[in-house]
C-alpha cells in the first residue's frame, strides 16, 4: 500500500513535469522558434511524455481498486446483531458487490455506510406487529445497491419501512434548538427531511 502511494506521488511529479514541458513548448513557439525541426521534435516528445504519464496514472488507479464486497460483508453481521437487539426480522439484498472502487474511497465510506444501515434498522423498519397491522410482511427488507458509470459511483441503502416522518423530524429539531416552532410551521416536508 505504501509502495502504491509512493508511485502515486511520483506520477503526480511526472504530471507537474509535463506541465513545465508544455510551458517551455509554448515559450519556444512565442520566440518564433516553433517552426524549427528541434521545436517539432520537442513537441512530439512532450506529447509522448504526457500520454505515458496519463497511462501510468490510469493503470495505477486500477491497481488501487478493491471490490465493494469488502464493505458489503459488514452488512449481514451488522443487521443480524441489530435485528436481534431490536426484535426485528430483516431480509438483506446486496447488489453490486463486484464493483471495484478506489481503496481510499472505500475507507471513507465505512463509517457512513454503517451509520446508514443502522438508521434503516433503527428508524426505517418497524417491528413485526406494526408491519402486519399496516398490511406488510412481518419481515422487513433492506436493499444495499452499488452502481457506477464512467464518472460517478452510487451507493444506495433502501428499506421498506414506514419512511421518514417530517413532523417527527421538525419536533426533534425544535427540541434540539435547530429551528423554532414558527420556522417548523412554514417548512416543507422536503426541507424538514434535509435536517436529518
Amino acid at each position: 500500500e505504501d509502495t502504491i502511494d509512493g508511485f502515486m506521488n511520483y506520477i503526480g511529479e511526472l504530471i507537474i513535469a509535463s506541465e513545465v514541458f508544455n510551458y517551455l513548448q509554448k515559450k519556444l513557439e512565442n520566440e518564433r522558434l516553433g517552426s524549427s525541426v528541434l521545436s517539432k521534435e520537442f513537441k512530439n516528445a512532450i506529447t509522448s511524455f504526457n500520454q505515458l504519464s496519463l497511462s501510468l496514472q490510469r493503470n495505477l488507479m486500477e491497481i488501487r481498486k478493491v471490490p465493494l464486497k469488502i464493505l458489503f460483508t459488514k452488512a449481514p453481521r451488522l443487521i443480524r446483531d441489530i435485528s436481534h437487539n431490536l426484535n426485528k426480522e430483516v431480509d438483506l439484498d446486496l447488489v453490486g458487490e463486484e464493483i471495484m472502487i478506489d481503496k481510499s474511497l472505500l475507507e471513507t465510506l465505512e463509517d457512513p455506510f454503517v451509520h446508514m444501515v443502522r438508521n434503516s434498522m433503527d428508524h426505517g423498519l418497524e417491528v413485526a406487529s406494526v408491519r402486519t397491522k399496516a398490511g406488510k410482511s412481518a419481515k422487513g427488507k433492506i436493499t444495499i445497491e452499488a452502481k457506477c458509470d464512467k464518472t460517478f459511483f452510487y451507493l444506495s441503502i433502501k428499506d421498506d419501512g414506514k419512511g421518514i416522518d417530517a413532523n417527527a423530524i421538525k419536533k426533534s429539531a425544535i427540541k434540539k434548538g435547530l429551528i423554532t416552532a414558527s420556522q417548523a410551521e412554514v417548512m416543507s416536508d422536503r426541507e424538514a427531511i434535509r435536517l436529518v
Side-chain angles (χ1 to χ4, degrees):
E1 185 183 325
D2 289 340
T3 306
I4 291 173
D5 289 341
F7 273 120
M8 284 301 286
N9 291 335
Y10 290 135
I11 287 173
E13 294 294 324
L14 281 177
I15 291 168
I16 291 168
S18 75
E19 290 302 316
V20 171
F21 289 146
N22 288 332
Y23 167 76
L24 292 173
Q25 172 62 30
K26 284 189 174 44
K27 202 168 179 185
L28 277 175
E29 288 173 2
N30 290 339
E31 305 235 346
R32 298 176 193 256
L33 298 171
S35 59
S36 74
V37 173
L38 179 62
S39 177
K40 287 178 183 169
E41 287 176 4
F42 188 59
K43 188 172 188 173
N44 289 339
I46 291 169
T47 301
S48 296
F49 183 83
N50 288 343
Q51 288 170 348
L52 179 61
S53 296
L54 289 173
S55 293
L56 277 169
Q57 186 180 33
R58 274 191 225 107
N59 286 331
L60 198 53
M61 293 302 283
E62 286 301 313
I63 291 170
R64 286 179 51 95
K65 287 187 175 181
V66 293
L68 261 177
K69 186 173 187 169
I70 293 169
L71 182 64
F72 279 19
T73 54
K74 295 175 183 283
R77 181 185 171 120
L78 181 64
I79 286 175
R80 191 172 49 251
D81 292 347
I82 297 171
S83 63
H84 179 74
N85 291 339
L86 299 176
N87 198 24
K88 294 179 181 180
E89 290 184 63
V90 183
D91 278 330
L92 174 63
D93 192 17
L94 299 171
V95 180
E97 293 176 281
E98 72 288 348
I99 289 175
M100 305 286 281
I101 63 170
D102 188 271
K103 188 176 187 300
S104 61
L105 177 58
L106 183 92
E107 290 166 355
T108 304
L109 284 172
E110 281 188 65
D111 289 342
F113 177 80
V114 169
H115 183 71
M116 290 190 303
V117 170
R118 281 186 187 280
N119 276 351
S120 278
M121 291 293 299
D122 288 340
H123 308 298
L125 297 177
E126 315 91 331
V127 293
S129 60
V130 173
R131 290 180 62 82
T132 52
K133 279 182 190 171
K136 295 181 182 179
S137 161
K139 198 180 249 193
K141 182 172 184 178
I142 292 179
T143 302
I144 301 172
E145 181 178 10
K147 292 188 282 189
C148 64
D149 57 30
K150 290 181 180 178
T151 311
F152 296 104
F153 164 73
Y154 307 90
L155 179 65
S156 67
I157 299 175
K158 300 175 190 171
D159 62 64
D160 69 344
K162 63 183 179 281
I164 299 174
D165 183 346
N167 288 327
I169 292 170
K170 289 178 188 180
K171 287 177 188 172
S172 178
I174 292 168
K175 199 176 192 178
K176 293 178 180 176
L178 299 173
I179 59 172
T180 64
S182 57
Q183 287 173 316
E185 283 180 32
V186 295
M187 185 177 279
S188 71
D189 286 354
R190 180 172 279 220
E191 290 171 323
I193 290 168
R194 281 196 195 123
L195 290 171
V196 173

